[in-house]
Amino acid sequence: MSFKDQVVLVTGAGRGIGKAIAQRFAAQEAKVIINDINPDTAEATTQEINQAGGQALYLNADVANKMAVQTMHYAILEKWARVDVLINNAAIEPVGSILTLDEWAWDRALNVNLKGAFLCTQTVGRGMKEQGGGVIINIGTTAGRAAGLPERAAYVASKAGLLGFTRECAREFAAYNIRVNAVCPGIIATDMIASLRQNETQMQKWIDAIPQGRLGEPDEVAGLVLFLCSTESRYITGQAFNVDGGKVMC
């Protein structure tokens, strides 16, 4: 797979799965935009890629804010003139039971995880239509398909919505040579599962339910993402793919 000189925007790329995706694209000679609202992690990721000989640009933008997304897009066009690949990865995961979850936390999760993907897709998609095509990957979760996740109703609801959005995007964008798919990780060893690790009994229960008997690694998710963005997958669109070591039974 070669992505030489392709322009790739990865939201939430400061750490975890987003960082791994950005690094893999950069290693394949893509020009990568690191989007994140945390300047410390995003700048560190950008620096790592550039020091390794890649090309990366950090742009701070809250994906839930339309003006911020459009401003980010303009900055990309000014530097590299186009976006070939969009990875909607930015997400937050508020913790709390349905009976106690704060309304603000619910709204923020839906705004970042679902509305953010919509705003980025709409903005970048317009450019992709004009340039004759592109690829969009939405990072979902197995919890948003069937497994569920305790005390994360807002996160699960937003990710379930993202899968429906993926299908509709694929249907509408096919005429513009834009492919849209979703990748749904299971339990991946990232900072986002730190709170889950506090309950060792529950964590071990989940690991025991994974046929491969271990957590996934961010780079294992990134590998599938790159395949779905390559010409080798040019007849695949509107699909959701699990990366979970088998079937996670929560």
Side-chain angles (χ1 to χ4, degrees):
M1 292 181 289
S2 175
F3 294 93
K4 183 176 176 58
D5 294 330
Q6 289 194 31
V7 180
V8 180
L9 168 58
V10 185
T11 69
R15 60 181 184 172
I17 292 172
K19 178 178 180 178
I21 292 171
Q23 290 176 321
R24 286 289 293 269
F25 272 114
Q28 295 296 323
E29 301 183 274
K31 300 171 181 176
V32 183
I33 297 93
I34 307 297
N35 161 259
D36 207 291
I37 60 172
N38 185 327
D40 294 333
T41 57
E43 288 175 356
T45 298
T46 304
Q47 186 175 17
E48 287 177 24
I49 290 174
N50 289 330
Q51 288 179 344
Q55 297 184 72
L57 170 69
Y58 165 48
L59 292 176
N60 185 307
D62 181 350
V63 297
N65 183 291
K66 183 175 183 177
M67 183 172 292
V69 170
Q70 292 180 335
T71 300
M72 174 175 64
H73 189 229
Y74 293 148
I76 297 170
L77 297 182
E78 285 184 0
K79 184 171 181 63
W80 284 322
R82 60 191 290 125
V83 176
D84 298 288
V85 176
L86 166 64
I87 311 297
N88 285 314
N89 171 72
I92 61 172
E93 189 178 341
V95 178
S97 71
I98 294 172
L99 298 182
T100 62
L101 186 65
D102 183 76
E103 180 184 4
W104 183 91
W106 172 273
D107 287 344
R108 182 61 179 163
L110 270 291
N111 284 339
V112 173
N113 303 359
L114 186 54
K115 179 184 174 182
F118 159 69
L119 291 175
C120 289
T121 297
Q122 182 184 68
T123 300
V124 175
R126 289 167 176 164
M128 287 181 173
K129 177 184 176 182
E130 293 301 316
Q131 71 197 27
V135 181
I136 299 172
I137 302 294
N138 296 321
I139 305 300
T141 173
T142 55
R145 302 194 75 176
L149 199 60
E151 297 192 327
R152 283 159 178 80
Y155 177 74
V156 171
S158 65
K159 291 296 188 175
L162 189 61
L163 297 183
F165 180 63
T166 298
R167 290 189 293 271
E168 291 306 307
C169 285
R171 186 192 310 275
E172 183 175 326
F173 290 174
Y176 312 132
N177 194 33
I178 302 171
R179 295 189 297 107
V180 188
N181 288 295
V183 171
C184 300
I187 304 178
I188 307 299
T190 69
D191 293 345
M192 289 188 74
I193 68 164
S195 60
L196 296 178
R197 290 185 182 276
Q198 295 175 8
N199 187 334
E200 294 183 4
T201 301
Q202 182 63 67
M203 176 61 73
Q204 189 59 51
K205 178 182 176 181
W206 283 332
I207 292 175
D208 291 342
I210 300 172
Q212 290 193 357
R214 63 176 179 86
L215 301 182
E217 296 295 332
D219 191 62
E220 294 173 315
V221 179
L224 176 57
V225 169
L226 262 70
F227 168 73
L228 291 173
C229 292
S230 74
T231 56
E232 296 178 24
S233 63
R234 58 187 175 274
Y235 198 55
I236 300 174
T237 192
Q239 305 303 309
F241 299 88
N242 286 4
V243 184
D244 61 6
K247 186 176 182 181
V248 179
M249 301 295 292
C250 292

